[in-house]
Amino acid sequence: MNEHPFTHLDAHGEARMVDVTHKTPTVRSATATGRVACGPEIVEHLRDGSVPKGDVLAVARIAGIQAAKRCAELLPLAHVIGVHGVVVDLAVDDDGVAISATVRTADRTGVEMEAFTAVSVAALAIVDMVKGIDKSVSIEGVRLETKTGGKSGDWHRP
């Protein structure tokens, strides 16, 4: 067993994937949030469904779900895990779109990165669909809100 204090580095300081085969699968979840900030013109288009590229929120929701399931393909040291549930919620407000993603599993490692990835890709999908209207949109405040299960237990943003 590696005694190095950094779990993703070997004794020579080289990156490695942590071996979790000895861990027992447990129920775990994580919720991340973020937002796409945009001006009143885009908000109006989102509210009345007149974005030329189509149903922005539906596309973003599906993109977020798909992204959570493909997280290990994007992050080199992330484990391939069973993603057993993903909920991506989107809400248009006066300043843009609020995004929340909750990912659940019964596996050997947590789903925080899957939740981050779901929010980030949902936000990217929104930007992709509205950038023709206004290029000043931005992705803001992607962060973990809560995680449950695993060795470190539950955590909630204060």
Side-chain angles (χ1 to χ4, degrees):
M1 185 57 90
N2 181 21
E3 297 301 323
H4 199 280
F6 297 107
T7 59
H8 285 76
L9 299 177
D10 66 15
H12 305 288
E14 296 176 2
R16 68 178 178 90
M17 184 179 210
V18 174
D19 183 352
V20 296
T21 54
H22 65 283
K23 295 174 83 173
T24 302
T26 60
V27 174
R28 301 156 183 264
S29 70
T31 299
T33 59
R35 68 179 295 100
V36 174
C38 52
E41 181 182 7
I42 290 178
V43 169
E44 182 178 333
H45 282 292
L46 290 169
R47 286 184 170 150
D48 67 18
S50 63
V51 175
K53 286 191 173 183
D55 189 340
V56 174
L57 301 183
V59 170
R61 188 175 299 107
I62 296 300
I65 292 167
Q66 181 179 357
K69 297 188 301 182
R70 300 188 77 167
C71 181
E73 294 176 37
L74 300 170
L75 301 175
L77 300 181
H79 293 88
V80 176
I81 61 170
V83 172
H84 299 118
V86 181
V87 175
V88 177
D89 290 319
L90 304 149
V92 178
D93 60 34
D94 290 343
D95 299 315
V97 182
I99 306 165
S100 175
T102 299
V103 181
R104 293 182 47 82
T105 190
D107 216 318
R108 291 174 168 86
T109 189
V111 286
E112 295 92 339
M113 297 314 300
E114 286 75 7
F116 272 117
T117 303
V119 168
S120 299
V121 173
L124 288 169
I126 293 167
V127 171
D128 181 50
M129 293 189 74
V130 303
K131 71 183 185 296
I133 300 168
D134 181 357
K135 294 186 182 1
S136 70
V137 296
S138 61
I139 297 170
E140 300 177 350
V142 178
R143 66 188 202 170
L144 185 67
E145 298 295 340
T146 185
K147 59 90 55 196
T148 65
K151 181 179 168 185
S152 65
D154 296 353
W155 179 86
H156 303 277
R157 181 168 293 284

